[in-house]
Amino acid sequence: MSIVCGVPLLECVYCLACARWVWKKCLYTAGHESENWGLATAEEFQPIPHLCRLILAVYEEDLRNPLWAPPGGYGINPDWVILRKNYEETQGRVPPYMIYLDHDNADIVLAVRGLNLAKESDYAVLLDNKLGQTKFDGGYVHNGLLKAAEWLLDAECEVLRELIERNPNYTLTFAGHSLGAGVVTLLAMVAVQNKDKLHDIERKRIRCYATAPARCISLNLAVRYADIINSVVLQDDFLPRTTTALEDVFKSLFCLPCLLCLMCLKDTCTLEEKMLKDPRRLYAPGRLYHIVERKPFRFGRFPPVVRTAVPVDGRFEHIVLSCNVTSDHAIIWIEKESQKAFDLMLEKDRIMEIPAKQRMERLESVAREHTEEYKAALKRAAALDVPQAYSPSAYGTFSEMGKGEGGGENSGRLSEEQVPILSSRRRRESWNELVGRLFHRDDSGQMVLRP
């Protein structure tokens, strides 16, 4: 103990530092993350409440006599349901899912439900994630979710192919919540890499909406696939912010507050530059839609505001200390708040009396802004030296990506047109990058020379 004039200086400094950290964390709210993002428009946000209801419909055993329908019902036609599969039919490889032919919106939807706390098979999928085990398209992905996505595509590619052939103008949408959100994220990426299985559908016709997703893909993939993958996060939801291994989270359900505090301490003490340059660190995927409906030092919920961006740094990096971190993960609350936010957007449009022609012009303007924001995010990732962050030549096309679309072991190799855009100075290849390029890990975890 160091005492000067009877004052324990080191102990005081330590206590003040701890008090400052706790104070900053208590003041940190989810709104800080998206305060500089742009506001979402009704046109781009419109599919989300409807897709949330489709995900909820997967939980029902009989859609003609629903038990858990939200106010106003699911808004779907049971006759348009192509197929539904439960745990017995999926053999526990993926959660139950449904394929729905949405004629009203010219859309083919594959919806996957979230984690079932009573099913061991769901935990097996979610916890199968050894760090750096699986490389995909030049980045890293969640191993268990990739296996589930590949199984799902193999199981339903014939059905989807037939629907795409019969409806050539329809979009193909993958939607899921929680565990299902991670599955559909990887499913969209696998579908893009294996377009031949889906009647060579164009990339611009594939969409993915991941609601409350787990962190399942590396930063370079999260940015590069932001043109087709959209993540929806409600306020303080813990799962898109959980950087600790999910296995540790589910083993610590009875001391979750302690674990969250430890995660906060770890995030605070880790430099963001170190986070960004870790190629194996996983992130929430794609474009982010953040629904904010609570404000600091105020009680109750307020009219929700939806902000959207394709961030590179600051992509939900910090756990929020809040009593709503688990309730904000529930699909019921997400559906309710997203519908409320969408209704407020429509009401604002009605007040402004925007004509149909101007709506079409605004929709084109939104698409153009998204294109520019997507390219800017890729450049930002390259400027920060994010590994394997390169910019495709055209937004939403694959004209220059030909031979790099194989998936599997060779999918991580880039063609000459896909050389990463680095900062203005060339940097030497590190030893870890060289090892990663020449070797890969097999199922047993051993290093094997790439063929």
Side-chain angles (χ1 to χ4, degrees):
M1 180 182 296
S2 61
I3 302 179
V4 178
C5 299
V7 180
L9 293 180
L10 293 179
E11 288 79 356
C12 289
V13 171
Y14 177 78
C15 292
L16 288 174
C18 292
R20 179 179 179 273
W21 176 81
V22 171
W23 178 250
K24 287 182 65 178
K25 278 300 175 185
C26 290
L27 287 180
Y28 183 83
T29 63
H32 291 161
E33 298 163 325
S34 58
E35 59 186 353
N36 296 321
W37 298 3
L39 292 174
T41 64
E43 287 77 11
E44 63 179 305
F45 195 73
Q46 180 179 6
I48 293 175
H50 174 62
L51 292 173
C52 287
R53 288 190 288 272
L54 277 176
I55 298 170
L56 275 170
V58 182
Y59 290 78
E60 295 283 359
E61 295 185 1
D62 184 3
L63 288 176
R64 299 186 186 277
N65 299 290
L67 299 176
W68 318 106
Y74 292 111
I76 64 177
N77 186 341
D79 296 330
W80 294 349
V81 176
I82 304 300
L83 63 84
R84 301 183 65 194
K85 289 192 176 180
N86 54 28
Y87 281 104
E88 289 72 22
E89 293 169 310
T90 64
Q91 304 171 1
R93 302 292 188 86
V94 295
Y97 60 88
M98 172 179 71
I99 296 180
Y100 180 70
L101 188 58
D102 190 352
H103 292 292
D104 291 336
N105 298 293
D107 197 11
I108 303 165
V109 183
L110 192 156
V112 185
R113 62 159 286 171
L115 175 73
N116 187 339
L117 295 175
K119 284 292 181 179
E120 184 179 351
S121 59
D122 282 2
Y123 290 102
V125 173
L126 190 61
L127 304 183
D128 181 12
N129 184 37
K130 295 180 181 178
L131 182 63
Q133 180 178 355
T134 306
K135 193 172 184 180
F136 182 87
D137 194 19
Y140 290 91
V141 298
H142 188 290
N143 186 59
L145 296 176
L146 178 61
K147 289 180 180 178
E150 291 175 337
W151 184 92
L152 184 52
L153 182 64
D154 290 339
E156 305 301 344
C157 63
E158 293 298 328
V159 176
L160 294 175
R161 182 187 182 94
E162 183 180 352
L163 292 174
I164 294 169
E165 289 178 353
R166 293 207 317 252
N167 305 277
N169 297 322
Y170 282 29
T171 54
L172 175 61
T173 300
F174 302 112
H177 168 251
S178 189
L179 174 62
V183 173
V184 297
T185 295
L186 274 298
L187 179 59
M189 296 169 61
V190 173
V192 167
Q193 296 292 329
N194 297 273
K195 296 185 297 178
D196 56 314
K197 291 186 177 182
L198 300 174
H199 195 57
D200 289 325
I201 185 172
E202 301 91 343
R203 178 181 175 122
K204 63 183 180 181
R205 289 174 57 198
I206 299 177
R207 304 185 303 171
C208 174
Y209 288 90
T211 306
R215 296 167 72 97
C216 56
I217 60 179
S218 56
L219 183 57
N220 58 342
L221 297 178
V223 177
R224 278 165 41 199
Y225 282 86
D227 57 326
I228 62 173
I229 299 176
N230 306 276
S231 292
V232 183
V233 179
L234 176 60
Q235 189 81 19
D236 302 331
D237 187 359
F238 77 98
L239 193 59
R241 299 177 170 88
T242 304
T243 55
T244 300
L246 293 173
E247 182 177 4
D248 297 335
V249 173
F250 284 95
K251 284 182 179 178
S252 307
L253 284 177
F254 295 103
C255 57
L256 186 58
C258 298
L259 180 64
L260 293 179
C261 288
L262 290 175
M263 292 164 61
C264 286
L265 180 61
K266 180 181 177 182
D267 290 342
T268 303
C269 298
T270 304
L271 296 177
E272 189 167 7
E273 292 79 6
K274 184 177 179 181
M275 298 179 187
L276 294 174
K277 293 182 180 180
D278 183 0
R280 294 174 179 173
R281 185 180 177 87
L282 303 183
Y283 291 82
R287 169 175 287 277
L288 300 178
Y289 288 90
H290 191 201
I291 305 174
V292 181
E293 34 85 58
R294 288 189 301 276
K295 299 179 181 180
F297 305 112
R298 296 189 184 183
F299 296 99
R301 297 176 183 265
F302 288 79
V305 175
V306 182
R307 299 186 179 276
T308 181
V310 185
V312 179
D313 38 352
R315 180 179 279 265
F316 291 143
E317 285 297 332
H318 301 288
I319 290 288
V320 178
L321 295 180
S322 166
C323 58
N324 301 101
V325 291
T326 53
S327 62
D328 284 346
H329 184 69
I331 183 64
I332 297 176
W333 274 112
I334 297 174
E335 185 276 332
K336 181 178 180 181
E337 296 301 324
S338 62
Q339 183 62 54
K340 187 186 299 184
F342 179 63
D343 291 340
L344 290 174
M345 294 177 190
L346 291 181
E347 183 179 352
K348 183 178 179 181
D349 285 352
R350 283 194 294 268
I351 293 175
M352 297 175 65
E353 296 182 354
I354 300 177
K357 183 178 179 180
Q358 290 187 8
R359 286 198 185 97
M360 291 296 296
E361 293 176 351
R362 187 171 66 170
L363 188 59
E364 293 175 357
S365 175
V366 168
R368 186 164 55 253
E369 289 174 2
H370 280 195
T371 301
E372 295 172 354
E373 188 176 15
Y374 171 71
K375 292 179 179 178
L378 288 168
K379 293 180 180 178
R380 173 65 174 164
L384 292 172
D385 280 350
V386 174
Q388 298 284 6
Y390 61 85
S391 175
S393 62
Y395 179 81
T397 67
F398 273 78
S399 56
E400 280 79 21
M401 299 185 71
K403 296 182 180 179
E405 292 182 347
E409 292 295 333
N410 294 327
S411 62
R413 301 181 181 179
L414 304 178
S415 61
E416 293 181 358
E417 292 83 4
Q418 292 174 305
V419 176
I421 299 176
L422 301 175
S423 56
S424 57
R425 57 179 179 83
R426 294 177 61 87
R427 61 182 179 88
R428 293 184 178 181
E429 189 177 39
S430 68
W431 173 255
N432 290 335
E433 291 173 338
L434 177 62
V435 172
R437 183 164 56 85
L438 298 179
F439 297 88
H440 71 93
R441 293 184 182 274
D442 58 14
D443 294 335
S444 63
Q446 299 297 321
M447 298 293 291
V448 180
L449 184 65
R450 292 184 180 275

